[in-house]
Structure formats: C-alpha cells, structure tokens
Amino acid sequence: MSPSVLVSWHPCYFSWLLRYREPGLEALAQRAEQKQDAEALVFVAVRDWDASEGARLAQEAVRLDPNLVWVYGIVYICPTKPSERDQRIQKLEQWDPQNALPCFIIAECLDIDEVVREKIPKRVEDETPAWRTALAAAFQSPKLDGYQGRLKELDRRVLVRYGIENPYHALVCENPWCSLPSYTAWDSSRYANFLLESGDMLEARGDRKGAALIRIWPCFFELSHDGSFLLLLTSSRHRPGEANQSQG
C-alpha cells in the first residue's frame, strides 16, 4: 500500500471506522476536565476524531498524571506543532527508553511531511538523515510496545467509573498491530531491505564480517505474553534453525 493512502489513516486504532463521534464522548470530556480525571481524558483522547483535540486532551491528562505519558504513543501527534510534537516524543523516550515506538512515530511524522510536500523518496538512501537515524534506533531497540494492554486496563476502569454502556465507546481494536503507527510495517520493510542490500555490497567488496553484522539487524516483530512486541534480531534470509542461533 502506498504512503499516499497510509497518510489518511488514523495511526492508532482501526476501530475508528466502526464508531461515530457521539455526543456522549464530548460530555465525558467535559466531565473529565471538570473533575480533573486524567484517565477519563485519555479514554476520550484516543477515541476523538479531531486529532488536535485528542492531542490536547492527552497533554492535559499527562499534566494531571505524568504516569500516563504512554498516551503519547497512541494519540495522533504528527499534526501538532513540531516543537510540541518533539517535546512529547522526548518525554515518551525518557519514560520508556527501550521501546522502539517513539522512533517509529518520528519516522511516521517525517513520512507524512514528505507526502504533504509531494516529495516522497523512492530509495532509502534518499531519505533524510533524521528518518534513517530513527529507523536505525528502532531496529536496535529491544522491544516495541504500543501500550494496548495499558489502554485496555484504563478503559475498563473508566467504563465502570462512569457507567458507560454505549458499545461504540467501549470498542478497541483487538489486533495489536492496530496500536502501532500506520507506517511501521512500511518503514520497517524498506529499512530491512536496505540493510540486506548493504550487506550484499559489503560482501561483494570482501567485507564478510561487516556483511554478517548488518544482516542480523533486519527484524520481525513477535507479540509477547503481555501484549507488547519484541524485536527479534533475525534476518529474513536466515533459515528457521539459524534464527534461534542468531539470538543466542
């Protein structure tokens, strides 16, 4: 699927296709702000059709409860001002430094900027240094967690606290890939192929050691028991038996 199509997607939940912007959510947001209920603000923020309003509610929730900073990994923050966007990503990185998610958010925002400017690089080599740095950092991170488990637990508490019975408000996407930025698979595939091709070039030059090191970078994602993703350092060129050996 092309980036021009991906840019129109909400990067957090595909369940937005199944719901409408119910007046009940607006009323809940007002109640949450009046009561300074940070969890209820997160509940509304991740379900709000208006990206800027969702980002605002998320920021207010984090102000009230800094432990909810993970919401910055879920709400769509790319349209916000670059300074505000960078600040939120930095807070998320500091809170969860081993998570690749902030790196993929950075890459997605850069991708969207390119689509808006209608200057989409055809090759990874033509991408900005910032994009390549973000992908390199993501591939070296030990995990990829979209915080779906945290959100699900928060949703249960808010649904009970406010007696919410509207099924549209309770919907969340059960597919964990839905909790990741929409460009994650696209960016990962492109960067993995780039690394593999780089390994081929090093091997052709006689640098077998360098080629071997590069080829263990391309990764695939495995869902762990707690709903997060683990980055498995294995190449698509490995045979099944070799994949386990590469992790030892």
Side-chain angles (χ1 to χ4, degrees):
M1 187 169 292
S2 68
S4 59
V5 175
L6 286 171
V7 72
S8 64
W9 292 6
H10 190 293
C12 308
Y13 288 96
F14 293 118
S15 60
W16 69 273
L17 292 168
L18 304 176
R19 56 182 168 76
Y20 301 92
R21 193 176 188 186
E22 297 281 342
L25 279 180
E26 296 181 4
L28 177 59
Q30 292 175 0
R31 292 176 64 189
E33 290 196 272
Q34 290 172 357
K35 297 174 64 175
Q36 294 196 316
D37 186 337
E39 289 193 333
L41 289 174
V42 168
F43 183 93
V44 177
V46 301
R47 290 167 168 79
D48 203 306
W49 276 71
D50 186 335
S52 60
E53 178 65 6
R56 185 191 71 79
L57 293 173
Q59 184 175 21
E60 177 63 12
V62 175
R63 186 188 69 80
L64 294 170
D65 184 356
N67 290 322
L68 293 174
V69 69
W70 52 265
V71 71
Y72 289 152
I74 299 177
V75 296
Y76 190 32
I77 64 173
C78 288
T80 58
K81 295 179 181 179
S83 58
E84 295 178 0
R85 180 177 71 194
D86 294 344
Q87 185 180 50
R88 293 172 192 180
I89 293 174
Q90 184 178 31
K91 287 184 178 180
L92 186 60
E93 288 176 323
Q94 292 172 346
W95 184 77
D96 193 3
Q98 293 189 319
N99 194 359
L101 183 62
C103 303
F104 283 117
I105 294 174
I106 292 171
E108 179 186 59
C109 292
L110 294 171
D111 289 329
I112 292 174
D113 289 343
E114 291 171 347
V115 173
V116 171
R117 290 186 288 108
E118 298 184 349
K119 294 183 178 180
I120 304 172
K122 294 182 178 180
R123 304 181 307 162
V124 170
E125 294 91 329
D126 299 328
E127 289 284 0
T128 64
W131 185 94
R132 280 181 277 138
T133 298
L135 265 294
F139 272 45
Q140 295 180 75
S141 300
K143 70 174 184 177
L144 175 58
D145 186 356
Y147 306 124
Q148 187 183 50
R150 290 177 180 272
L151 180 61
K152 191 176 293 186
E153 291 299 320
L154 179 146
D155 283 350
R156 291 194 185 102
R157 293 193 293 271
V158 174
L159 287 167
V160 172
R161 188 181 307 157
Y162 289 86
I164 299 172
E165 298 180 352
N166 189 321
Y168 289 108
H169 295 173
L171 281 176
V172 293
C173 180
E174 294 298 327
N175 183 345
W177 282 99
C178 298
S179 64
L180 301 177
S182 56
Y183 279 82
T184 298
W186 169 260
D187 285 338
S188 298
S189 175
R190 293 177 64 216
Y191 193 70
N193 287 330
F194 164 72
L195 291 177
L196 290 171
E197 291 171 1
S198 299
D200 287 342
M201 288 188 290
L202 286 175
E203 187 171 12
R205 296 171 186 168
D207 186 353
R208 293 179 178 271
K209 184 176 180 180
L213 288 173
I214 283 181
R215 283 175 179 159
I216 67 169
W217 272 30
C219 61
F220 62 90
F221 306 117
E222 178 182 84
L223 184 64
S224 67
H225 69 281
D226 64 352
S228 64
F229 289 86
L230 301 178
L231 294 187
L232 303 183
L233 299 182
T234 179
S235 166
S236 58
R237 295 187 180 184
H238 282 136
R239 292 188 295 272
E242 294 176 326
N244 293 329
Q245 294 175 10
S246 68
Q247 298 172 53

